[in-house]
Amino acid sequence: MRKIGLLSDTHGYLDPSVFQYFQDCDEVWHAGDIGSVEIIEQLSKFKPLKAVFGNIDDQAVRQLCPEHQQFQCEQVDVWITHIGGYPGRYSSLVSRELKANPPALFIAGHSHIVKVQYDKNLKLLHLNPGAVGKQGWHTVRTLMRFEINGDRIENLELIELGKR
């Protein structure tokens, strides 16, 4: 079993409470718009990090993080990207690949809108943790925690950090 801390859209601001909420996690996953190399360094020193770059990230961040991360966690195929859309409205950049090789778990950021949605057609779970940073139009900063136990995604929690 792996405990995962999931966040997105820090936009250069990492709330110190993230470390408390992710204390018991085995890994941290970041779905893009990181905002600075310093955030990558802080999270990497804290826990093993899987992160993708987003549309606001500069070349320094892009050199450290790929646009997409596809990997196995336990027995779950995972794909993390920043601009991915959601069931029924996937981005054109990922739609074809999703249909050809759907993962069990598809994670995207970008919208600043929390989403937990099951795609019945592709048989995948879509997660968007919202935005944990202070920039953007969201009103509440959010992140997620969950567990991957074998081939199951369990105990998903949405955590609100307060007003932007």
Side-chain angles (χ1 to χ4, degrees), residues 125-139:
L125 179 63
H126 165 70
L127 298 179
N128 184 323
V132 74
K134 290 187 173 183
Q135 291 184 353
W137 60 270
H138 60 285
T139 58

Side-chain angles (χ1 to χ4, degrees), residues 6 85-87 89-90 105-109 111-118 125-131 142 144 156 158:
L6 176 63
Y86 54 90
R89 299 207 49 174
Y90 293 115
L105 178 58
F106 179 66
I107 297 169
S111 71
H112 293 220
I113 299 170
V114 173
K115 284 198 186 289
V116 176
Q117 216 173 342
Y118 185 71
L125 179 63
H126 165 70
L127 298 179
N128 184 323
T142 57
M144 292 178 173
L156 177 65
L158 173 64

Side-chain angles (χ1 to χ4, degrees), residues 60-131:
V61 171
R62 290 172 189 234
Q63 287 179 341
L64 296 173
C65 301
E67 183 176 8
H68 307 282
Q69 287 242 18
Q70 293 179 276
F71 56 92
Q72 285 277 130
C73 183
E74 295 273 317
Q75 292 139 19
V76 174
D77 292 320
V78 180
W79 182 358
I80 304 173
T81 193
H82 184 62
I83 302 176
Y86 54 90
R89 299 207 49 174
Y90 293 115
S91 98
S92 59
L93 297 174
V94 302
S95 182
R96 192 173 317 125
E97 181 64 23
L98 271 178
K99 290 174 184 169
N101 299 302
L105 178 58
F106 179 66
I107 297 169
H110 186 62
S111 71
H112 293 220
I113 299 170
V114 173
K115 284 198 186 289
V116 176
Q117 216 173 342
Y118 185 71
D119 185 327
K120 294 176 189 173
N121 295 326
L122 298 179
K123 296 179 177 54
L124 64 82
L125 179 63
H126 165 70
L127 298 179
N128 184 323

